[in-house]
Amino acid sequence: MVTTKIRLLLTNDPALPALAALMEEMQAHYQVPCPSRAEIIAGLKAMPQGAEILIVEENDATLGFAAFSGIFPGPGLKPGIFLKELFVSAAQRSRGLGRDLMRALAELAQERGLARIDWTADPENAKLLDFYDGLGGTRKPDKLFYRLDGKALEELTI
């Protein structure tokens, strides 16, 4: 019998090695460098306060995840969620698991009294944009995403 469930990742969760492997797959998918599995697991164990991960599991296999954090303030000075990563293993795509993760995240937001979920998306990935449009997400072309890292981050602190 196949049992699919979505749950919050716990500290020292037994799913950490499987989640780390899934994160390695994600990094390969995006063609970006990846730390060792041990470093990934250490990072998961030391996530900053407020960072959380929903995982979707089937018969103890980790198939996908949604990494997010609470944000404040939003419109009307209401709190919300910022979705940092939504990823489903390539072998498990087109089963509705991404939608299930987003539904679970929306339910969690409502349970916590949070007013919205924000995220970013690759504007060149039409399939991804169709997925998010299909959820009822609204594109916000009036906003521009910035990042401060590397040398610029260091120089700002000098």
Side-chain angles (χ1 to χ4, degrees):
M1 181 175 164
V2 176
T3 304
T4 302
K5 66 179 177 179
I6 295 177
R7 65 178 181 84
L8 282 167
L9 185 73
L10 305 171
T11 305
N12 295 315
D13 199 295
L16 288 177
L19 179 56
L22 194 57
M23 288 181 162
E24 289 172 336
E25 180 185 341
M26 178 184 71
Q27 295 298 91
H29 173 79
Y30 290 118
Q31 300 178 344
V32 295
C34 186
S36 71
R37 187 165 300 174
E39 289 176 284
I40 296 169
I41 292 171
L44 287 166
K45 288 180 178 180
M47 285 191 305
Q49 186 175 357
E52 298 180 86
I53 299 177
L54 282 172
I55 56 174
V56 58
E57 298 174 307
E58 189 171 271
N59 298 335
D60 298 323
T62 303
L63 310 178
F65 70 94
F68 62 96
S69 295
I71 55 173
F72 182 84
L77 299 179
K78 303 282 185 190
I81 287 176
F82 183 79
L83 174 66
K84 177 59 182 91
E85 299 291 347
L86 177 68
F87 188 80
V88 173
S89 176
Q92 302 300 324
R93 292 194 188 131
S94 299
R95 293 183 48 198
L97 298 176
R99 177 176 277 282
D100 291 345
L101 280 163
M102 290 298 290
R103 182 180 303 110
L105 189 60
E107 289 170 358
L108 186 65
Q110 288 183 324
E111 288 169 13
R112 293 180 179 181
L114 306 176
R116 70 186 207 184
I117 301 172
D118 291 325
W119 65 90
T120 63
D122 177 359
E124 304 300 318
N125 187 334
K127 187 174 180 181
L128 179 66
L129 298 178
D130 287 345
F131 169 73
Y132 285 135
D133 289 342
L135 293 175
T138 305
R139 296 185 193 189
K140 297 293 183 186
D142 56 325
K143 298 289 182 185
L144 187 59
F145 178 74
Y146 280 90
R147 177 171 294 140
L148 187 62
D149 62 1
K151 188 172 175 78
L153 180 66
E154 289 177 31
E155 288 178 356
L156 188 59
T157 63
I158 297 174

PDB file of all heavy atoms in Angstrom, residues 33-72:
ATOM      1  N   PRO A  33      27.054  24.643  -7.790  1.00  0.00           N
ATOM      2  CA  PRO A  33      27.884  23.839  -6.890  1.00  0.00           C
ATOM      3  C   PRO A  33      27.085  23.310  -5.700  1.00  0.00           C
ATOM      4  O   PRO A  33      26.091  23.916  -5.283  1.00  0.00           O
ATOM      5  CB  PRO A  33      28.960  24.817  -6.412  1.00  0.00           C
ATOM      6  CG  PRO A  33      28.969  25.908  -7.425  1.00  0.00           C
ATOM      7  CD  PRO A  33      27.580  25.999  -7.972  1.00  0.00           C
ATOM      8  N   CYS A  34      27.561  22.197  -5.175  1.00  0.00           N
ATOM      9  CA  CYS A  34      26.869  21.553  -4.057  1.00  0.00           C
ATOM     10  C   CYS A  34      27.883  21.125  -3.005  1.00  0.00           C
ATOM     11  O   CYS A  34      28.892  20.504  -3.334  1.00  0.00           O
ATOM     12  CB  CYS A  34      26.107  20.331  -4.571  1.00  0.00           C
ATOM     13  SG  CYS A  34      25.082  19.536  -3.328  1.00  0.00           S
ATOM     14  N   PRO A  35      27.616  21.442  -1.742  1.00  0.00           N
ATOM     15  CA  PRO A  35      28.493  20.956  -0.676  1.00  0.00           C
ATOM     16  C   PRO A  35      28.340  19.440  -0.510  1.00  0.00           C
ATOM     17  O   PRO A  35      27.430  18.832  -1.086  1.00  0.00           O
ATOM     18  CB  PRO A  35      28.000  21.699   0.563  1.00  0.00           C
ATOM     19  CG  PRO A  35      26.613  22.118   0.256  1.00  0.00           C
ATOM     20  CD  PRO A  35      26.518  22.257  -1.241  1.00  0.00           C
ATOM     21  N   SER A  36      29.179  18.857   0.298  1.00  0.00           N
ATOM     22  CA  SER A  36      29.092  17.420   0.559  1.00  0.00           C
ATOM     23  C   SER A  36      27.789  17.102   1.289  1.00  0.00           C
ATOM     24  O   SER A  36      27.171  17.975   1.907  1.00  0.00           O
ATOM     25  CB  SER A  36      30.277  16.963   1.409  1.00  0.00           C
ATOM     26  OG  SER A  36      30.137  17.468   2.732  1.00  0.00           O
ATOM     27  N   ARG A  37      27.396  15.849   1.229  1.00  0.00           N
ATOM     28  CA  ARG A  37      26.166  15.442   1.914  1.00  0.00           C
ATOM     29  C   ARG A  37      26.277  15.707   3.417  1.00  0.00           C
ATOM     30  O   ARG A  37      25.315  16.138   4.051  1.00  0.00           O
ATOM     31  CB  ARG A  37      25.860  13.971   1.654  1.00  0.00           C
ATOM     32  CG  ARG A  37      24.507  13.581   2.224  1.00  0.00           C
ATOM     33  CD  ARG A  37      23.969  12.297   1.719  1.00  0.00           C
ATOM     34  NE  ARG A  37      23.810  12.346   0.279  1.00  0.00           N
ATOM     35  CZ  ARG A  37      23.453  11.296  -0.449  1.00  0.00           C
ATOM     36  NH1 ARG A  37      23.193  10.146   0.130  1.00  0.00           N
ATOM     37  NH2 ARG A  37      23.338  11.396  -1.761  1.00  0.00           N
ATOM     38  N   ALA A  38      27.447  15.465   3.984  1.00  0.00           N
ATOM     39  CA  ALA A  38      27.635  15.728   5.423  1.00  0.00           C
ATOM     40  C   ALA A  38      27.422  17.211   5.735  1.00  0.00           C
ATOM     41  O   ALA A  38      26.813  17.550   6.756  1.00  0.00           O
ATOM     42  CB  ALA A  38      29.026  15.276   5.865  1.00  0.00           C
ATOM     43  N   GLU A  39      27.906  18.092   4.851  1.00  0.00           N
ATOM     44  CA  GLU A  39      27.713  19.528   5.059  1.00  0.00           C
ATOM     45  C   GLU A  39      26.242  19.912   4.925  1.00  0.00           C
ATOM     46  O   GLU A  39      25.747  20.775   5.659  1.00  0.00           O
ATOM     47  CB  GLU A  39      28.547  20.329   4.067  1.00  0.00           C
ATOM     48  CG  GLU A  39      30.037  20.284   4.321  1.00  0.00           C
ATOM     49  CD  GLU A  39      30.814  21.018   3.244  1.00  0.00           C
ATOM     50  OE1 GLU A  39      30.960  20.451   2.138  1.00  0.00           O
ATOM     51  OE2 GLU A  39      31.251  22.153   3.519  1.00  0.00           O
ATOM     52  N   ILE A  40      25.550  19.278   3.983  1.00  0.00           N
ATOM     53  CA  ILE A  40      24.120  19.556   3.820  1.00  0.00           C
ATOM     54  C   ILE A  40      23.373  19.161   5.086  1.00  0.00           C
ATOM     55  O   ILE A  40      22.552  19.919   5.610  1.00  0.00           O
ATOM     56  CB  ILE A  40      23.544  18.827   2.589  1.00  0.00           C
ATOM     57  CG1 ILE A  40      24.187  19.330   1.303  1.00  0.00           C
ATOM     58  CG2 ILE A  40      22.022  19.004   2.525  1.00  0.00           C
ATOM     59  CD1 ILE A  40      23.866  18.492   0.077  1.00  0.00           C
ATOM     60  N   ILE A  41      23.663  17.977   5.604  1.00  0.00           N
ATOM     61  CA  ILE A  41      22.990  17.504   6.818  1.00  0.00           C
ATOM     62  C   ILE A  41      23.310  18.421   7.986  1.00  0.00           C
ATOM     63  O   ILE A  41      22.415  18.788   8.761  1.00  0.00           O
ATOM     64  CB  ILE A  41      23.351  16.034   7.108  1.00  0.00           C
ATOM     65  CG1 ILE A  41      22.741  15.137   6.025  1.00  0.00           C
ATOM     66  CG2 ILE A  41      22.874  15.615   8.504  1.00  0.00           C
ATOM     67  CD1 ILE A  41      23.193  13.686   6.070  1.00  0.00           C
ATOM     68  N   ALA A  42      24.563  18.825   8.114  1.00  0.00           N
ATOM     69  CA  ALA A  42      24.930  19.758   9.199  1.00  0.00           C
ATOM     70  C   ALA A  42      24.163  21.067   9.055  1.00  0.00           C
ATOM     71  O   ALA A  42      23.687  21.624  10.050  1.00  0.00           O
ATOM     72  CB  ALA A  42      26.437  20.006   9.189  1.00  0.00           C
ATOM     73  N   GLY A  43      24.019  21.573   7.823  1.00  0.00           N
ATOM     74  CA  GLY A  43      23.259  22.797   7.587  1.00  0.00           C
ATOM     75  C   GLY A  43      21.790  22.633   7.945  1.00  0.00           C
ATOM     76  O   GLY A  43      21.168  23.541   8.512  1.00  0.00           O
ATOM     77  N   LEU A  44      21.225  21.473   7.632  1.00  0.00           N
ATOM     78  CA  LEU A  44      19.829  21.211   7.982  1.00  0.00           C
ATOM     79  C   LEU A  44      19.639  21.165   9.496  1.00  0.00           C
ATOM     80  O   LEU A  44      18.642  21.661  10.022  1.00  0.00           O
ATOM     81  CB  LEU A  44      19.360  19.891   7.358  1.00  0.00           C
ATOM     82  CG  LEU A  44      19.141  19.921   5.846  1.00  0.00           C
ATOM     83  CD1 LEU A  44      19.023  18.506   5.288  1.00  0.00           C
ATOM     84  CD2 LEU A  44      17.927  20.755   5.485  1.00  0.00           C
ATOM     85  N   LYS A  45      20.606  20.600  10.184  1.00  0.00           N
ATOM     86  CA  LYS A  45      20.514  20.532  11.650  1.00  0.00           C
ATOM     87  C   LYS A  45      20.685  21.905  12.288  1.00  0.00           C
ATOM     88  O   LYS A  45      20.228  22.127  13.407  1.00  0.00           O
ATOM     89  CB  LYS A  45      21.571  19.580  12.200  1.00  0.00           C
ATOM     90  CG  LYS A  45      21.273  18.120  11.920  1.00  0.00           C
ATOM     91  CD  LYS A  45      22.361  17.238  12.490  1.00  0.00           C
ATOM     92  CE  LYS A  45      22.043  15.773  12.259  1.00  0.00           C
ATOM     93  NZ  LYS A  45      23.100  14.897  12.825  1.00  0.00           N
ATOM     94  N   ALA A  46      21.358  22.819  11.586  1.00  0.00           N
ATOM     95  CA  ALA A  46      21.647  24.154  12.138  1.00  0.00           C
ATOM     96  C   ALA A  46      20.847  25.253  11.438  1.00  0.00           C
ATOM     97  O   ALA A  46      21.266  26.397  11.410  1.00  0.00           O
ATOM     98  CB  ALA A  46      23.142  24.432  12.019  1.00  0.00           C
ATOM     99  N   MET A  47      19.682  24.907  10.880  1.00  0.00           N
ATOM    100  CA  MET A  47      18.881  25.926  10.190  1.00  0.00           C
ATOM    101  C   MET A  47      18.596  27.086  11.130  1.00  0.00           C
ATOM    102  O   MET A  47      18.352  26.879  12.322  1.00  0.00           O
ATOM    103  CB  MET A  47      17.546  25.336   9.698  1.00  0.00           C
ATOM    104  CG  MET A  47      17.665  24.463   8.497  1.00  0.00           C
ATOM    105  SD  MET A  47      16.049  24.046   7.751  1.00  0.00           S
ATOM    106  CE  MET A  47      15.151  23.333   9.099  1.00  0.00           C
ATOM    107  N   PRO A  48      18.612  28.305  10.602  1.00  0.00           N
ATOM    108  CA  PRO A  48      18.311  29.462  11.446  1.00  0.00           C
ATOM    109  C   PRO A  48      16.891  29.397  11.993  1.00  0.00           C
ATOM    110  O   PRO A  48      16.004  28.799  11.379  1.00  0.00           O
ATOM    111  CB  PRO A  48      18.457  30.656  10.505  1.00  0.00           C
ATOM    112  CG  PRO A  48      19.037  30.144   9.245  1.00  0.00           C
ATOM    113  CD  PRO A  48      18.902  28.669   9.228  1.00  0.00           C
ATOM    114  N   GLN A  49      16.703  30.033  13.123  1.00  0.00           N
ATOM    115  CA  GLN A  49      15.373  30.101  13.714  1.00  0.00           C
ATOM    116  C   GLN A  49      14.412  30.715  12.697  1.00  0.00           C
ATOM    117  O   GLN A  49      14.726  31.700  12.035  1.00  0.00           O
ATOM    118  CB  GLN A  49      15.397  30.948  14.971  1.00  0.00           C
ATOM    119  CG  GLN A  49      14.089  30.959  15.712  1.00  0.00           C
ATOM    120  CD  GLN A  49      14.178  31.710  17.031  1.00  0.00           C
ATOM    121  OE1 GLN A  49      15.222  32.187  17.427  1.00  0.00           O
ATOM    122  NE2 GLN A  49      13.054  31.798  17.701  1.00  0.00           N
ATOM    123  N   GLY A  50      13.259  30.111  12.548  1.00  0.00           N
ATOM    124  CA  GLY A  50      12.252  30.605  11.612  1.00  0.00           C
ATOM    125  C   GLY A  50      12.284  29.908  10.262  1.00  0.00           C
ATOM    126  O   GLY A  50      11.322  29.971   9.515  1.00  0.00           O
ATOM    127  N   ALA A  51      13.404  29.246   9.923  1.00  0.00           N
ATOM    128  CA  ALA A  51      13.486  28.480   8.679  1.00  0.00           C
ATOM    129  C   ALA A  51      12.848  27.115   8.926  1.00  0.00           C
ATOM    130  O   ALA A  51      13.119  26.467   9.933  1.00  0.00           O
ATOM    131  CB  ALA A  51      14.931  28.329   8.232  1.00  0.00           C
ATOM    132  N   GLU A  52      11.990  26.695   8.002  1.00  0.00           N
ATOM    133  CA  GLU A  52      11.294  25.416   8.143  1.00  0.00           C
ATOM    134  C   GLU A  52      11.235  24.716   6.797  1.00  0.00           C
ATOM    135  O   GLU A  52      11.371  25.349   5.753  1.00  0.00           O
ATOM    136  CB  GLU A  52       9.867  25.630   8.660  1.00  0.00           C
ATOM    137  CG  GLU A  52       9.790  26.256  10.040  1.00  0.00           C
ATOM    138  CD  GLU A  52       8.354  26.448  10.482  1.00  0.00           C
ATOM    139  OE1 GLU A  52       7.782  25.482  11.045  1.00  0.00           O
ATOM    140  OE2 GLU A  52       7.814  27.548  10.250  1.00  0.00           O
ATOM    141  N   ILE A  53      11.011  23.406   6.844  1.00  0.00           N
ATOM    142  CA  ILE A  53      10.905  22.621   5.624  1.00  0.00           C
ATOM    143  C   ILE A  53       9.753  21.642   5.756  1.00  0.00           C
ATOM    144  O   ILE A  53       9.661  20.905   6.738  1.00  0.00           O
ATOM    145  CB  ILE A  53      12.217  21.851   5.324  1.00  0.00           C
ATOM    146  CG1 ILE A  53      13.375  22.838   5.120  1.00  0.00           C
ATOM    147  CG2 ILE A  53      12.042  20.941   4.107  1.00  0.00           C
ATOM    148  CD1 ILE A  53      14.725  22.185   4.889  1.00  0.00           C
ATOM    149  N   LEU A  54       8.879  21.659   4.761  1.00  0.00           N
ATOM    150  CA  LEU A  54       7.862  20.621   4.615  1.00  0.00           C
ATOM    151  C   LEU A  54       8.445  19.560   3.693  1.00  0.00           C
ATOM    152  O   LEU A  54       9.064  19.899   2.673  1.00  0.00           O
ATOM    153  CB  LEU A  54       6.590  21.172   3.967  1.00  0.00           C
ATOM    154  CG  LEU A  54       5.635  21.987   4.822  1.00  0.00           C
ATOM    155  CD1 LEU A  54       4.541  22.603   3.955  1.00  0.00           C
ATOM    156  CD2 LEU A  54       5.011  21.127   5.920  1.00  0.00           C
ATOM    157  N   ILE A  55       8.253  18.296   4.030  1.00  0.00           N
ATOM    158  CA  ILE A  55       8.704  17.227   3.144  1.00  0.00           C
ATOM    159  C   ILE A  55       7.507  16.371   2.762  1.00  0.00           C
ATOM    160  O   ILE A  55       6.562  16.218   3.533  1.00  0.00           O
ATOM    161  CB  ILE A  55       9.817  16.358   3.778  1.00  0.00           C
ATOM    162  CG1 ILE A  55       9.387  15.750   5.111  1.00  0.00           C
ATOM    163  CG2 ILE A  55      11.098  17.162   3.938  1.00  0.00           C
ATOM    164  CD1 ILE A  55      10.396  14.770   5.709  1.00  0.00           C
ATOM    165  N   VAL A  56       7.561  15.848   1.542  1.00  0.00           N
ATOM    166  CA  VAL A  56       6.548  14.896   1.110  1.00  0.00           C
ATOM    167  C   VAL A  56       7.243  13.541   1.041  1.00  0.00           C
ATOM    168  O   VAL A  56       8.311  13.406   0.450  1.00  0.00           O
ATOM    169  CB  VAL A  56       5.876  15.291  -0.233  1.00  0.00           C
ATOM    170  CG1 VAL A  56       6.862  15.429  -1.364  1.00  0.00           C
ATOM    171  CG2 VAL A  56       4.772  14.316  -0.607  1.00  0.00           C
ATOM    172  N   GLU A  57       6.640  12.582   1.716  1.00  0.00           N
ATOM    173  CA  GLU A  57       7.207  11.241   1.806  1.00  0.00           C
ATOM    174  C   GLU A  57       6.201  10.217   1.299  1.00  0.00           C
ATOM    175  O   GLU A  57       4.994  10.405   1.415  1.00  0.00           O
ATOM    176  CB  GLU A  57       7.548  10.888   3.256  1.00  0.00           C
ATOM    177  CG  GLU A  57       8.583  11.778   3.886  1.00  0.00           C
ATOM    178  CD  GLU A  57       8.783  11.476   5.357  1.00  0.00           C
ATOM    179  OE1 GLU A  57       7.784  11.452   6.111  1.00  0.00           O
ATOM    180  OE2 GLU A  57       9.945  11.280   5.745  1.00  0.00           O
ATOM    181  N   GLU A  58       6.756   9.131   0.777  1.00  0.00           N
ATOM    182  CA  GLU A  58       5.929   8.013   0.357  1.00  0.00           C
ATOM    183  C   GLU A  58       6.649   6.746   0.787  1.00  0.00           C
ATOM    184  O   GLU A  58       7.785   6.512   0.351  1.00  0.00           O
ATOM    185  CB  GLU A  58       5.731   8.045  -1.155  1.00  0.00           C
ATOM    186  CG  GLU A  58       4.718   7.073  -1.675  1.00  0.00           C
ATOM    187  CD  GLU A  58       4.434   7.334  -3.136  1.00  0.00           C
ATOM    188  OE1 GLU A  58       3.530   8.135  -3.426  1.00  0.00           O
ATOM    189  OE2 GLU A  58       5.148   6.743  -3.971  1.00  0.00           O
ATOM    190  N   ASN A  59       6.013   5.988   1.651  1.00  0.00           N
ATOM    191  CA  ASN A  59       6.638   4.771   2.185  1.00  0.00           C
ATOM    192  C   ASN A  59       8.068   5.028   2.643  1.00  0.00           C
ATOM    193  O   ASN A  59       8.993   4.313   2.287  1.00  0.00           O
ATOM    194  CB  ASN A  59       6.593   3.646   1.159  1.00  0.00           C
ATOM    195  CG  ASN A  59       5.169   3.260   0.808  1.00  0.00           C
ATOM    196  OD1 ASN A  59       4.247   3.462   1.595  1.00  0.00           O
ATOM    197  ND2 ASN A  59       4.978   2.736  -0.377  1.00  0.00           N
ATOM    198  N   ASP A  60       8.259   6.086   3.404  1.00  0.00           N
ATOM    199  CA  ASP A  60       9.547   6.473   3.998  1.00  0.00           C
ATOM    200  C   ASP A  60      10.577   6.994   2.997  1.00  0.00           C
ATOM    201  O   ASP A  60      11.719   7.234   3.372  1.00  0.00           O
ATOM    202  CB  ASP A  60      10.150   5.337   4.829  1.00  0.00           C
ATOM    203  CG  ASP A  60       9.262   4.961   6.001  1.00  0.00           C
ATOM    204  OD1 ASP A  60       8.656   5.884   6.589  1.00  0.00           O
ATOM    205  OD2 ASP A  60       9.165   3.764   6.317  1.00  0.00           O
ATOM    206  N   ALA A  61      10.221   7.194   1.738  1.00  0.00           N
ATOM    207  CA  ALA A  61      11.115   7.827   0.766  1.00  0.00           C
ATOM    208  C   ALA A  61      10.741   9.306   0.680  1.00  0.00           C
ATOM    209  O   ALA A  61       9.561   9.648   0.628  1.00  0.00           O
ATOM    210  CB  ALA A  61      10.972   7.176  -0.608  1.00  0.00           C
ATOM    211  N   THR A  62      11.739  10.185   0.675  1.00  0.00           N
ATOM    212  CA  THR A  62      11.494  11.625   0.574  1.00  0.00           C
ATOM    213  C   THR A  62      11.481  12.003  -0.903  1.00  0.00           C
ATOM    214  O   THR A  62      12.466  11.805  -1.600  1.00  0.00           O
ATOM    215  CB  THR A  62      12.569  12.410   1.344  1.00  0.00           C
ATOM    216  OG1 THR A  62      12.556  11.960   2.705  1.00  0.00           O
ATOM    217  CG2 THR A  62      12.304  13.899   1.305  1.00  0.00           C
ATOM    218  N   LEU A  63      10.350  12.534  -1.364  1.00  0.00           N
ATOM    219  CA  LEU A  63      10.137  12.797  -2.788  1.00  0.00           C
ATOM    220  C   LEU A  63      10.235  14.272  -3.165  1.00  0.00           C
ATOM    221  O   LEU A  63      10.454  14.601  -4.324  1.00  0.00           O
ATOM    222  CB  LEU A  63       8.764  12.277  -3.215  1.00  0.00           C
ATOM    223  CG  LEU A  63       8.416  10.846  -2.826  1.00  0.00           C
ATOM    224  CD1 LEU A  63       7.012  10.508  -3.289  1.00  0.00           C
ATOM    225  CD2 LEU A  63       9.430   9.868  -3.369  1.00  0.00           C
ATOM    226  N   GLY A  64      10.034  15.158  -2.194  1.00  0.00           N
ATOM    227  CA  GLY A  64      10.055  16.581  -2.483  1.00  0.00           C
ATOM    228  C   GLY A  64      10.034  17.376  -1.199  1.00  0.00           C
ATOM    229  O   GLY A  64       9.843  16.825  -0.107  1.00  0.00           O
ATOM    230  N   PHE A  65      10.239  18.688  -1.341  1.00  0.00           N
ATOM    231  CA  PHE A  65      10.240  19.552  -0.166  1.00  0.00           C
ATOM    232  C   PHE A  65       9.897  20.984  -0.532  1.00  0.00           C
ATOM    233  O   PHE A  65      10.018  21.399  -1.680  1.00  0.00           O
ATOM    234  CB  PHE A  65      11.590  19.498   0.558  1.00  0.00           C
ATOM    235  CG  PHE A  65      12.732  20.147  -0.185  1.00  0.00           C
ATOM    236  CD1 PHE A  65      13.081  21.474   0.057  1.00  0.00           C
ATOM    237  CD2 PHE A  65      13.463  19.435  -1.118  1.00  0.00           C
ATOM    238  CE1 PHE A  65      14.126  22.073  -0.620  1.00  0.00           C
ATOM    239  CE2 PHE A  65      14.518  20.022  -1.796  1.00  0.00           C
ATOM    240  CZ  PHE A  65      14.853  21.346  -1.549  1.00  0.00           C
ATOM    241  N   ALA A  66       9.477  21.718   0.482  1.00  0.00           N
ATOM    242  CA  ALA A  66       9.236  23.158   0.382  1.00  0.00           C
ATOM    243  C   ALA A  66       9.958  23.795   1.562  1.00  0.00           C
ATOM    244  O   ALA A  66       9.624  23.506   2.715  1.00  0.00           O
ATOM    245  CB  ALA A  66       7.745  23.469   0.429  1.00  0.00           C
ATOM    246  N   ALA A  67      10.956  24.630   1.296  1.00  0.00           N
ATOM    247  CA  ALA A  67      11.708  25.339   2.337  1.00  0.00           C
ATOM    248  C   ALA A  67      11.170  26.760   2.410  1.00  0.00           C
ATOM    249  O   ALA A  67      11.037  27.436   1.387  1.00  0.00           O
ATOM    250  CB  ALA A  67      13.199  25.341   2.013  1.00  0.00           C
ATOM    251  N   PHE A  68      10.874  27.219   3.630  1.00  0.00           N
ATOM    252  CA  PHE A  68      10.220  28.520   3.786  1.00  0.00           C
ATOM    253  C   PHE A  68      10.573  29.151   5.121  1.00  0.00           C
ATOM    254  O   PHE A  68      11.091  28.492   6.025  1.00  0.00           O
ATOM    255  CB  PHE A  68       8.703  28.368   3.654  1.00  0.00           C
ATOM    256  CG  PHE A  68       8.094  27.494   4.716  1.00  0.00           C
ATOM    257  CD1 PHE A  68       7.538  28.046   5.860  1.00  0.00           C
ATOM    258  CD2 PHE A  68       8.087  26.112   4.585  1.00  0.00           C
ATOM    259  CE1 PHE A  68       6.987  27.242   6.845  1.00  0.00           C
ATOM    260  CE2 PHE A  68       7.539  25.298   5.575  1.00  0.00           C
ATOM    261  CZ  PHE A  68       6.989  25.868   6.704  1.00  0.00           C
ATOM    262  N   SER A  69      10.254  30.430   5.242  1.00  0.00           N
ATOM    263  CA  SER A  69      10.447  31.179   6.485  1.00  0.00           C
ATOM    264  C   SER A  69       9.284  32.142   6.661  1.00  0.00           C
ATOM    265  O   SER A  69       8.690  32.601   5.685  1.00  0.00           O
ATOM    266  CB  SER A  69      11.742  31.999   6.441  1.00  0.00           C
ATOM    267  OG  SER A  69      12.864  31.159   6.370  1.00  0.00           O
ATOM    268  N   GLY A  70       9.013  32.471   7.902  1.00  0.00           N
ATOM    269  CA  GLY A  70       8.029  33.501   8.192  1.00  0.00           C
ATOM    270  C   GLY A  70       8.602  34.872   7.862  1.00  0.00           C
ATOM    271  O   GLY A  70       9.813  35.085   7.968  1.00  0.00           O
ATOM    272  N   ILE A  71       7.743  35.779   7.411  1.00  0.00           N
ATOM    273  CA  ILE A  71       8.159  37.158   7.117  1.00  0.00           C
ATOM    274  C   ILE A  71       7.196  38.132   7.775  1.00  0.00           C
ATOM    275  O   ILE A  71       6.030  37.823   8.002  1.00  0.00           O
ATOM    276  CB  ILE A  71       8.239  37.432   5.593  1.00  0.00           C
ATOM    277  CG1 ILE A  71       6.920  37.109   4.895  1.00  0.00           C
ATOM    278  CG2 ILE A  71       9.389  36.665   4.969  1.00  0.00           C
ATOM    279  CD1 ILE A  71       6.858  37.502   3.438  1.00  0.00           C
ATOM    280  N   PHE A  72       7.726  39.318   8.072  1.00  0.00           N
ATOM    281  CA  PHE A  72       6.916  40.390   8.634  1.00  0.00           C
ATOM    282  C   PHE A  72       7.635  41.698   8.344  1.00  0.00           C
ATOM    283  O   PHE A  72       8.855  41.755   8.472  1.00  0.00           O
ATOM    284  CB  PHE A  72       6.751  40.216  10.157  1.00  0.00           C
ATOM    285  CG  PHE A  72       5.888  41.277  10.765  1.00  0.00           C
ATOM    286  CD1 PHE A  72       4.518  41.152  10.750  1.00  0.00           C
ATOM    287  CD2 PHE A  72       6.451  42.411  11.327  1.00  0.00           C
ATOM    288  CE1 PHE A  72       3.713  42.143  11.302  1.00  0.00           C
ATOM    289  CE2 PHE A  72       5.656  43.404  11.869  1.00  0.00           C
ATOM    290  CZ  PHE A  72       4.284  43.261  11.849  1.00  0.00           C
TER     291      PHE A  72
END
